[in-house]
Amino acid sequence: MFKIGEFSRISRVPAKTLRYYDEIGLFSPQSVDKFTGYRYYSAEQLSRLNRILALKDLNLSLAEIGKLLSEDLSAKALHDMFRIKEAELSQEIQDAQARLQRVTKRIAQIEQEGHMPHYDIVVKTLTRQRVVSIRQIAPKPEDVGNFLGEAAMAIYSAGITPTGQPYTIFYDPELQDTNMDIETVIPVAKDVDVEIELAGGRKLIAHTIDGIDKVATIVHKGSYDNFEAPYAALGQWIEENNYQICGAPREVYLQAPTESEEPVTEIQYPISKA
Amino acid sequence: MFKIGEFSRISRVPAKTLRYYDEIGLFSPQSVDKFTGYRYYSAEQLSRLNRILALKDLNLSLAEIGKLLSEDLSAKALHDMFRIKEAELSQEIQDAQARLQRVTKRIAQIEQEGHMPHYDIVVKTLTRQRVVSIRQIAPKPEDVGNFLGEAAMAIYSAGITPTGQPYTIFYDPELQDTNMDIETVIPVAKDVDVEIELAGGRKLIAHTIDGIDKVATIVHKGSYDNFEAPYAALGQWIEENNYQICGAPREVYLQAPTESEEPVTEIQYPISKA
DNA sequence: GCTTGACTTTCCAGCTACTGGAAGCCTCAT
DNA sequence: ATGAGGCTTCCAGTAGCTGGAAAGTCAAGC
């Protein structure tokens, strides 16, 4: 029988850790002195401890290990458990590789430009939402904004409160400046169900827009004139990270331009793994 | 200005997380109502938040991100930081791949044998230690044990207390049963420095044995007769995990056989990445 | 003007797998 | 008998949140 220090030296597991394993019931000493509380371990216990260490090394949590060792699992159950671990690990490797790629990219950018890249791309998830919208052709770029103002007014008059930031969806397969096929969208509460007549027989219609699993987003501060830069950065990022564009982009108006403040816009591109 | 809930919806960052970032000083709202404590965020702050998310996605800790964003780091410093991250990520990928390989191996074993493998191999590190030992030829297998008993007696007579489990180092390049070139070793305190004469002019000598960075170990319970199995398992594991043997194996006697108890032995093989 | 419900605040606890430290008891060699 | 080192328990802290409770705030509807 070994005292905890000796056993720790033999097993190369810190005594603190052995006490912890005892505490959580994963691995307890063979006997404990009733009076002093001293823990005594036997050499034979090493094989269980080693099994624990080996399983830990496969990335199993202590809880999983405990279950594995206590229950008398069938070969099938064991098999399944490890299959799951296998999948987890594969995923982990993939993630790490993607991250590594992004870090490498950033290093290249810093080397080239001498500072941190100006834009940061973030991948998000959009959830299904109820909106009021109208799809139409915008002859000139400024019509995008005009349509938005018109829609906001109409909704206000109808006594409906927006529940989020308005945005525009650009349906043209290529970005263009004239006769854009766009949808002007304003999020509203779930129970809204209206049709609002606009000038010229056009109609704002309430409907539900599906969620999108992955959108690559970028935030742009400043006027709408130089929008090429963020679009270019986003496009490049998507390509470099092995995604592909799989839907129409959106521009979310986070802050409308005022005298004192510059506008803030978020560009979103639905993407999927190429 | 957005209240935390709105800003949370826009940024897709949980409000709890925003509060946490505020608490640790990483990302604070643009203004806080003095009376109610309500946090108010502006659209412009999104870019900083996005930068934080992007950096987090590169596996930087929040502390690292904070440093990166607060200090005005030179391009060189940035560059170095990301280089380090790059190395960390590479290492992570390698580790995960090695783990994945081991999991896959285990699945194969379970499929073949229908249960968990009998042995668990654990990689440990041995530290430098002071020992008393004698290297000699063991004509027959049982001499290994006899030599050990002899050494233990001699040390006891010399008034020296062992400080760890005794072991044997097998220097023969191939495992064999006769005329084995072995060293019988007993760990002692750092300050021991003796020579003990044994029968036939042989000598136990105190010296220091170097540490070993990596040893693959396996614990065997039971008689010395069927030692092939653990050796075979260990050898196979070493090969399968892309290690190579780079030193003489040791057998550590964790529990000497008694009438009631079976012996427990740990076999150790120094290894290095192939 | 009041109520209601959604939202916000702070504070506390918990998660994983330990690690460090303090205060006090135990063992062993001298 | 004494002192060193080892053992015990308990408490706190790590990272990055997440959940829950209790209490205060806000906006809309009546």
Side-chain angles (χ1 to χ4, degrees):
Chain A
M1 298 290 252
F2 305 104
K3 284 196 282 187
I4 199 166
E6 272 172 299
F7 195 70
S8 161
R9 248 166 281 131
I10 290 171
S11 62
R12 264 120 211 143
V13 172
K16 281 258 172 185
T17 302
L18 291 173
R19 283 193 202 102
Y20 177 64
Y21 287 171
D22 183 12
E23 190 189 328
I24 63 170
L26 178 62
F27 180 72
S28 302
Q30 189 160 82
S31 72
V32 177
D33 187 306
K34 262 205 299 294
F35 303 105
T36 67
Y38 272 36
R39 293 171 176 82
Y40 292 95
Y41 295 86
S42 75
E44 282 173 11
Q45 294 191 274
L46 255 188
S47 41
R48 185 180 162 99
L49 183 55
N50 274 351
R51 172 145 297 180
I52 290 170
L53 297 178
L55 292 173
K56 200 157 72 83
D57 208 41
L58 301 179
N59 250 22
L60 277 80
S61 69
L62 298 187
E64 286 171 321
I65 295 172
K67 218 161 86 181
L68 233 165
L69 293 185
S70 71
E71 293 174 26
D72 222 356
L73 294 172
S74 67
K76 169 122 186 23
L78 273 176
H79 192 268
D80 291 352
M81 184 147 190
F82 284 115
R83 276 267 179 250
I84 291 167
K85 271 296 147 195
E86 195 181 27
E88 277 178 22
L89 278 168
S90 302
Q91 189 57 54
E92 208 179 286
I93 290 171
Q94 271 188 32
D95 291 354
Q97 277 168 344
R99 256 196 292 274
L100 179 57
Q101 208 174 19
R102 285 199 294 278
V103 171
T104 309
K105 224 72 274 163
R106 225 164 238 256
I107 291 174
Q109 267 181 313
I110 292 169
E111 273 173 2
Q112 264 194 7
E113 306 172 18
H115 56 78
M116 279 276 262
H118 189 61
Y119 290 113
D120 294 289
I121 285 91
V122 177
V123 177
K124 305 178 175 177
T125 300
L126 303 184
T127 50
R128 205 178 161 71
Q129 63 178 176
R130 190 76 182 168
V131 303
V132 169
S133 80
I134 175 171
R135 181 164 172 176
Q136 55 194 327
I137 301 298
K140 289 170 293 169
E142 56 268 37
D143 291 327
V144 175
N146 297 339
F147 285 166
L148 190 67
E150 184 191 18
M153 289 299 284
I155 276 182
Y156 179 74
S157 307
I160 298 168
T161 349
T163 58
Q165 307 312 115
Y167 55 94
T168 303
I169 308 178
F170 296 83
Y171 286 103
D172 297 304
E174 298 284 320
L175 298 174
Q176 61 197 59
D177 275 29
T178 54
N179 293 326
M180 292 175 274
D181 178 6
I182 64 169
E183 183 171 356
T184 301
V185 185
I186 299 178
V188 294
K190 272 202 278 302
D191 54 4
V192 172
D193 191 9
V194 289
E195 288 200 3
I196 305 172
E197 201 92 18
L198 299 176
R202 289 142 61 238
K203 268 192 220 156
L204 274 170
I205 299 173
H207 63 116
T208 302
I209 288 189
D210 266 346
I212 302 177
D213 194 37
K214 281 193 170 86
V215 287
T217 69
I218 198 169
V219 168
H220 181 73
K221 287 197 262 190
S223 88
Y224 303 115
D225 298 343
N226 42 2
F227 251 45
E228 295 83 21
Y231 268 101
L234 202 43
Q236 199 190 341
W237 186 93
I238 290 169
E239 195 179 324
E240 281 173 359
N241 287 275
N242 302 318
Y243 285 106
Q244 65 189 13
I245 294 167
C246 68
R250 303 176 181 190
E251 278 176 19
V252 183
Y253 306 105
L254 300 175
Q255 184 173 271
T258 65
E259 320 82 56
S260 60
E261 307 238 48
E262 290 214 283
V264 178
T265 314
E266 181 175 278
I267 304 168
Q268 304 177 334
Y269 257 110
I271 54 171
S272 64
K273 264 292 170 206
Chain B
M1 299 291 253
F2 304 106
K3 283 197 281 187
I4 199 165
E6 271 173 299
F7 194 72
S8 160
R9 248 167 280 131
I10 290 171
S11 62
R12 264 122 210 140
V13 173
K16 280 260 173 184
T17 302
L18 292 174
R19 284 194 201 101
Y20 176 65
Y21 287 172
D22 183 13
E23 189 189 327
I24 63 169
L26 179 61
F27 179 72
S28 302
Q30 189 160 82
S31 72
V32 177
D33 187 305
K34 262 206 298 296
F35 302 105
T36 67
Y38 272 36
R39 294 170 176 83
Y40 292 94
Y41 296 86
S42 76
E44 283 174 10
Q45 294 192 274
L46 255 187
S47 42
R48 185 181 161 97
L49 183 54
N50 275 350
R51 172 144 300 178
I52 290 169
L53 296 178
L55 293 173
K56 200 157 72 82
D57 208 41
L58 301 179
N59 251 21
L60 276 80
S61 70
L62 298 187
E64 286 170 322
I65 294 172
K67 217 161 86 183
L68 232 164
L69 294 185
S70 70
E71 293 174 26
D72 221 356
L73 293 173
S74 67
K76 167 117 186 30
L78 273 177
H79 191 267
D80 290 353
M81 184 147 188
F82 283 115
R83 276 265 179 250
I84 291 167
K85 272 295 148 193
E86 195 181 27
E88 278 178 22
L89 277 167
S90 300
Q91 188 57 52
E92 209 179 284
I93 291 171
Q94 271 189 30
D95 291 354
Q97 277 169 343
R99 256 197 291 274
L100 179 58
Q101 208 175 18
R102 284 200 293 278
V103 171
T104 310
K105 233 37 318 139
R106 225 165 239 257
I107 291 174
Q109 267 181 313
I110 291 169
E111 272 173 2
Q112 265 195 6
E113 305 173 17
H115 55 78
M116 281 276 261
H118 189 60
Y119 290 112
D120 295 288
I121 286 91
V122 176
V123 177
K124 304 179 177 177
T125 299
L126 303 184
T127 51
R128 206 178 160 70
Q129 62 177 179
R130 189 77 183 168
V131 303
V132 169
S133 79
I134 175 171
R135 182 164 173 176
Q136 55 194 325
I137 301 296
K140 288 170 294 166
E142 57 266 38
D143 290 327
V144 175
N146 296 340
F147 285 165
L148 188 69
E150 184 190 18
M153 290 299 283
I155 276 180
Y156 178 75
S157 305
I160 299 168
T161 348
T163 58
Q165 306 313 115
Y167 55 92
T168 303
I169 308 178
F170 295 84
Y171 286 102
D172 296 303
E174 299 282 323
L175 296 174
Q176 60 199 61
D177 275 30
T178 53
N179 292 326
M180 292 176 274
D181 178 5
I182 66 169
E183 184 171 356
T184 301
V185 184
I186 299 177
V188 295
K190 271 201 277 304
D191 54 3
V192 171
D193 190 11
V194 288
E195 289 200 2
I196 304 171
E197 200 92 19
L198 299 176
R202 289 141 61 238
K203 267 193 223 161
L204 274 170
I205 299 174
H207 65 117
T208 302
I209 288 188
D210 267 345
I212 302 176
D213 194 37
K214 282 193 170 86
V215 287
T217 69
I218 198 169
V219 168
H220 180 74
K221 287 196 262 192
S223 87
Y224 303 114
D225 298 342
N226 41 3
F227 251 44
E228 294 82 22
Y231 268 102
L234 201 44
Q236 198 189 343
W237 186 93
I238 290 170
E239 194 178 326
E240 281 173 359
N241 286 277
N242 302 318
Y243 284 106
Q244 65 189 14
I245 293 167
C246 68
R250 303 175 180 190
E251 278 177 18
V252 183
Y253 306 105
L254 300 176
Q255 185 171 269
T258 64
E259 319 82 56
S260 58
E261 308 237 47
E262 288 214 283
V264 178
T265 313
E266 180 175 278
I267 303 168
Q268 305 177 332
Y269 256 110
I271 54 172
S272 63
K273 264 291 170 206

